[in-house]
């Protein structure tokens, strides 16, 4: 099956049924990342319709300043979620530096809980790659998943050496940096993602339905000079190795 290791199901709005039909038809195993409690509860509700949706709880760095109080209220979600995310830091797209301490506070809370519960983390690192690397090492996290990395290559190398996995996103056919990253990464550390419908709109103006992950896979297979089915299998194996939830996500459990 295909793997979308970073999607925002709540972004589809009134088009959610069309998105779900595509996920079911093309068998796209989808990590539904959240930005806050509301989006996580929505993802959990949508996940009742198909085992191909895996809801993940996190507080996005863009919403950290709104959700940095009473963090222990989120522990029950952290304990139950298959993966913690989307969490991280963003010192690039967030211009208000007064919000950065809230981001750091929230991230440190989630990292501590990730260590306590031995959870995988799905990480946003834009403009704060060095800081994220330092905190990963400080908390001795287990195999983090780095979402849409575009930072310095020396940090990429250290993250790879640490054991991180990396999602390749919808800019792969448009960005030379993304191409270089795919060339550099070994195939056994690569996953595919769409980042919801709005990411592709940001890249080329088109609405991004879940099956755009197939185009991402095709670009990776070209760069790696692999048959597309071989690349597809490798990414599926990577996901299973990372999260170890094969029994939940097997095709046999899928029912249209």
């Amino acid at each position: 099956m295909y793997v979308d290791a970073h999607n925002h199901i709540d972004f589809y709005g009134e088009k959610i049924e069309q998105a779900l039909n595509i996920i079911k038809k093309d068998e796209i195993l989808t990590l539904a990342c959240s930005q806050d409690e509301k989006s996580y509860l929505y993802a959990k509700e949508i996940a009742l319709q198909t085992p191909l949706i895996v809801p993940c709880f996190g507080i996005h760095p863009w919403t950290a300043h709104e959700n940095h109080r009473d963090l222990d209220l989120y522990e029950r979600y952290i304990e139950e979620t298959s993966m913690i995310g989307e969490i991280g830091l963003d010192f690039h797209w967030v211009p208000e530096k007064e919000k950065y301490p809230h981001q750091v506070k929230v991230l440190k809370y989630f990292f501590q809980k990730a260590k306590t519960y031995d959870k995988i983390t799905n990480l946003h690192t834009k403009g704060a790659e060095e800081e994220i690397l330092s905190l990963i090492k400080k908390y001795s996290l287990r195999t983090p998943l780095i979402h849409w990395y575009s930072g310095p290559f020396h940090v990429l190398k250290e993250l790879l050496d640490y054991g991180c996995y990396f999602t390749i996103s919808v800019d792969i056919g448009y960005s030379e940096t993304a191409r270089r990253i795919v060339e550099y990464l070994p195939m056994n550390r690569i996953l595919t993602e769409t980042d919801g419908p709005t990411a592709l709109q940001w890249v080329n103006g088109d609405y991004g339905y879940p099956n755009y992950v197939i185009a991402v896979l095709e670009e990776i297979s070209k760069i790696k000079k692999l048959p597309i089915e071989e690349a597809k299998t490798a990414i599926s194996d990577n996901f299973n190795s990372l999260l170890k939830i094969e029994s939940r996500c097997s095709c046999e459990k899928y029912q249209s």
Side-chain angles (χ1 to χ4, degrees):
M1 67 175 62
Y2 297 103
V3 173
D4 186 350
H6 193 106
N7 196 327
H8 290 281
I9 289 296
D10 56 309
F11 287 8
Y12 290 102
E14 63 184 14
K15 297 181 180 179
I16 184 61
E17 288 304 320
Q18 189 171 349
L20 279 175
N21 288 338
I22 291 170
I23 287 170
K24 293 175 183 178
K25 175 180 177 293
D26 292 327
E27 293 191 341
I28 305 170
L29 178 59
T30 304
L31 286 181
C33 294
S34 57
Q35 293 194 309
D36 52 24
E37 181 181 34
K38 181 180 178 180
S39 57
Y40 174 63
L41 295 176
Y42 177 80
K44 283 184 66 177
E45 181 181 346
I46 294 298
L48 296 175
Q49 300 186 42
T50 171
L52 291 169
I53 301 288
V54 181
C56 305
F57 176 68
I59 299 296
H60 194 286
W62 294 357
T63 68
H65 65 286
E66 300 170 345
N67 296 281
H68 66 93
R69 300 177 183 86
D70 300 321
L71 290 172
D72 284 333
L73 294 176
Y74 300 137
E75 187 164 2
R76 66 189 187 276
Y77 300 142
I78 294 171
E79 189 173 2
E80 73 183 15
T81 190
S82 297
M83 179 185 288
I84 299 174
E86 180 177 0
I87 60 173
L89 301 174
D90 192 325
F91 298 165
H92 178 83
W93 298 116
V94 179
E96 303 92 349
K97 292 186 178 181
E98 65 272 16
K99 294 179 179 178
Y100 295 175
H102 299 315
Q103 291 187 24
V104 173
K105 175 186 175 182
V106 170
L107 182 62
K108 285 182 176 180
Y109 170 79
F110 276 101
F111 273 12
Q112 182 59 58
K113 294 304 178 183
K115 184 175 181 179
T116 298
Y117 292 107
D118 195 29
K119 295 284 186 176
I120 302 295
T121 48
N122 197 318
L123 300 179
H124 182 115
T125 65
K126 189 65 176 177
E129 293 83 6
E130 295 272 10
E131 291 84 354
I132 292 283
L133 173 63
S134 177
L135 288 169
I136 285 172
K137 291 179 177 179
K138 177 180 178 180
Y139 287 89
S140 302
L141 296 187
R142 179 167 68 92
T143 53
L145 175 58
I146 308 299
H147 153 60
W148 200 338
Y149 187 85
S150 61
F153 261 73
H154 73 278
V155 180
L156 175 69
K157 181 182 185 303
E158 290 195 57
L159 290 167
L160 179 63
D161 290 344
Y162 183 87
C164 295
Y165 288 71
F166 299 82
T167 55
I168 304 304
S169 197
V170 295
D171 65 333
I172 182 60
Y174 302 87
S175 166
E176 182 58 30
T177 297
R179 170 176 283 276
R180 288 178 58 219
I181 287 172
V182 171
E183 289 173 343
Y184 179 76
L185 292 175
M187 195 63 207
N188 66 357
R189 297 290 186 84
I190 291 175
L191 291 165
T192 45
E193 68 154 78
T194 62
D195 201 20
T198 58
L200 188 63
Q201 286 181 315
W202 177 74
V203 170
N204 69 4
D206 293 339
Y207 191 86
Y209 282 105
N211 55 355
Y212 197 81
V213 78
I214 300 172
V216 176
L217 174 66
E218 289 171 347
E219 288 294 328
I220 293 170
S221 69
K222 290 175 186 176
I223 293 169
K224 289 298 192 182
K225 298 180 172 58
L226 293 173
I228 190 166
E229 284 301 318
E230 184 176 335
K232 179 182 178 183
T233 299
I235 288 172
S236 179
D237 288 346
N238 293 345
F239 183 85
N240 289 335
S241 296
L242 176 66
L243 217 54
K244 294 182 172 62
I245 57 171
E246 298 95 325
S247 60
R248 173 175 182 169
C249 306
S250 62
C251 290
E252 288 77 11
K253 285 188 66 178
Y254 166 69
Q255 295 181 357
S256 59

